[in-house]
Amino acid sequence: MPAYHVAFGTPVLLSQQMASSSNESVGLNSEEAIVRRYMELQNELQNLFAKLQELESEKVEHNMVVSTLDPLEPSRKCYRLVGSVLVERTVKEVLPAVTANRDNLAQIVKTLSEQFEKKKKELGEFQTKYKIRYKNEKEVRRAQQESGEGQGPGVLVQ
Amino acid sequence: MDLQERRKKVAEYEAFVEQRLVVDLEKASNEREKLLQQIQDYTSLADSVRLLQTDTHQLHTMVNLGSDILAQARVPDATRIFVDIGLGFHAELTWDEAIAFCQKKEIELNRKLDDDNRRIAGIKSNINLVLEGIRELSQL
């Protein structure tokens, strides 16, 4: 569950050349823009995941209610809380509504998880396309020593 | 990295711990507390129902009228009780149904509790990780 992304290394592009050689199709022409887009995608993915989880638990709740009401005889009383008032209903009246709602939810969860998978793929493709990876501390230092200067371009400080 | 840069980094990580991780941890802990409360509620409901079963069909009880002023109440027929089954629905259940529901609900809630526990452990380990990082940064 990628709820967090704690990384000490900073995401960097391997080199300016690689980035600029493959940016014609999308039109992202600065490293900054690419990294920003990458973070954006990551964020979207995380939000989608959170939403998905929320709906999933709601679906479970619906299932719970349906499976409880299902075996009861249709004329059984079943009060429904509206605001803070209990309204008298019967199982017969209530069950179809809950079932419909649950099916709706299931549908939404399905489309959302499809979206999630698509986003995940998009992120992965983006990552390979622009050769994004997380540099660790050692590599950063070595790169600094090699280039003989401070942090090179494209380093994103979190 | 010079000293100034390192200080800046430390400040950033500290801010991340304070503003994100600690807040999230608090939120998750609160949710966990609520779940525990719910589990306890359903357990005690099942216990009460079992108690009712051993008794007659009548129920004598005290009702809290508010401000802890109690009134005696008598329920002539307590064979059917209304149970909050979620989503604001209160279904009329027999004792056996109520107990069965409580058990089902407990399993579900415990599953959620496991999830929460795992999440909390994850956040805690992230906090430790970042704190360890901060320590290293400030020692170097």
Side-chain angles (χ1 to χ4, degrees), chain A residues 9 15 17-19 25 37 40 45-47 53 61 66 79 82-83 110 125 129-130 133 135 143 146 154 157-158:
Chain A
S15 79
Q17 270 176 341
M18 281 171 182
S25 53
R37 175 88 187 108
E40 232 174 69
L45 201 67
Q46 230 170 63
N47 287 345
Q53 263 198 330
E61 181 97 3
V66 171
Y79 287 87
V82 181
K110 215 178 117 204
E125 277 166 11
K129 185 171 176 189
Y130 291 111
R133 67 196 182 97
K135 266 196 179 181
E146 277 167 8
V157 180
Q158 267 183 328

Side-chain angles (χ1 to χ4, degrees), chain B residues 38-55:
Chain B
Q38 273 185 316
I39 291 174
Q40 220 207 328
D41 283 350
Y42 280 109
T43 318
S44 69
L45 173 62
D47 284 344
S48 310
V49 173
R50 280 193 200 100
L51 203 70
L52 271 180
Q53 274 179 324
T54 61
D55 218 14

Side-chain angles (χ1 to χ4, degrees), chain A residues 4 8 46 60-62 64-65 67-68 72 76-81 86 94 98 137 157-158, chain B residues 1 9 12-13 20 24 80 82 85-93 97 101 104-105 108 126 129:
Chain A
Y4 284 102
F8 283 104
Q46 230 170 63
V60 171
E61 181 97 3
H62 275 72
M64 198 79 192
V65 175
S67 66
T68 310
L72 305 183
R76 190 82 72 93
K77 271 187 217 158
C78 176
Y79 287 87
R80 180 173 193 178
L81 195 66
L86 282 173
V94 146
V98 186
E137 207 54 35
V157 180
Q158 267 183 328
Chain B
M1 264 195 273
K9 267 268 176 267
E12 271 171 32
Y13 286 139
R20 177 93 189 263
D24 281 5
R80 294 273 176 101
F82 290 93
I85 56 170
L87 301 173
F89 290 108
H90 295 66
E92 183 181 31
L93 300 178
E97 282 164 354
F101 173 75
K104 214 164 58 173
K105 192 83 185 173
E108 173 55 30
N126 274 341
L129 185 70

Side-chain angles (χ1 to χ4, degrees), chain A:
Chain A
M1 281 194 285
Y4 284 102
H5 211 108
V6 176
F8 283 104
T10 45
V12 292
L13 296 164
L14 279 187
S15 79
Q16 195 121 37
Q17 270 176 341
M18 281 171 182
S20 49
S21 66
S22 52
N23 64 16
E24 300 92 349
S25 53
V26 194
L28 293 173
N29 36 30
S30 74
E31 284 196 13
E32 204 189 315
I34 295 163
V35 174
R36 207 185 307 127
R37 175 88 187 108
Y38 178 67
M39 298 308 248
E40 232 174 69
L41 275 175
Q42 247 179 0
N43 236 336
E44 279 171 37
L45 201 67
Q46 230 170 63
N47 287 345
L48 219 54
F49 183 76
K51 189 85 204 155
L52 202 61
Q53 263 198 330
E54 187 194 317
L55 286 176
E56 194 69 49
S57 76
E58 212 164 299
K59 200 178 89 184
V60 171
E61 181 97 3
H62 275 72
N63 269 335
M64 198 79 192
V65 175
V66 171
S67 66
T68 310
L69 290 181
D70 217 25
L72 305 183
E73 59 267 33
S75 58
R76 190 82 72 93
K77 271 187 217 158
C78 176
Y79 287 87
R80 180 173 193 178
L81 195 66
V82 181
S84 55
V85 183
L86 282 173
V87 185
E88 188 177 328
R89 293 279 150 81
T90 60
V91 170
K92 180 178 62 198
E93 289 167 319
V94 146
L95 192 54
V98 186
T99 319
N101 225 334
R102 181 194 60 178
D103 294 344
N104 257 339
L105 264 173
Q107 191 57 43
I108 294 170
V109 167
K110 215 178 117 204
T111 44
L112 219 56
S113 61
E114 273 165 19
Q115 257 181 48
F116 180 73
E117 287 305 319
K118 234 168 73 189
K119 260 278 157 354
K120 214 159 89 181
K121 235 176 94 193
E122 199 185 324
L123 189 74
E125 277 166 11
F126 195 84
Q127 205 161 349
T128 32
K129 185 171 176 189
Y130 291 111
K131 313 242 181 332
I132 295 171
R133 67 196 182 97
Y134 282 86
K135 266 196 179 181
N136 59 38
E137 207 54 35
K138 232 188 247 165
E139 278 176 281
V140 170
R141 215 166 292 151
R142 202 172 50 219
Q144 276 171 11
Q145 278 167 0
E146 277 167 8
S147 60
E149 54 186 38
Q151 288 183 318
V155 174
L156 185 116
V157 180
Q158 267 183 328

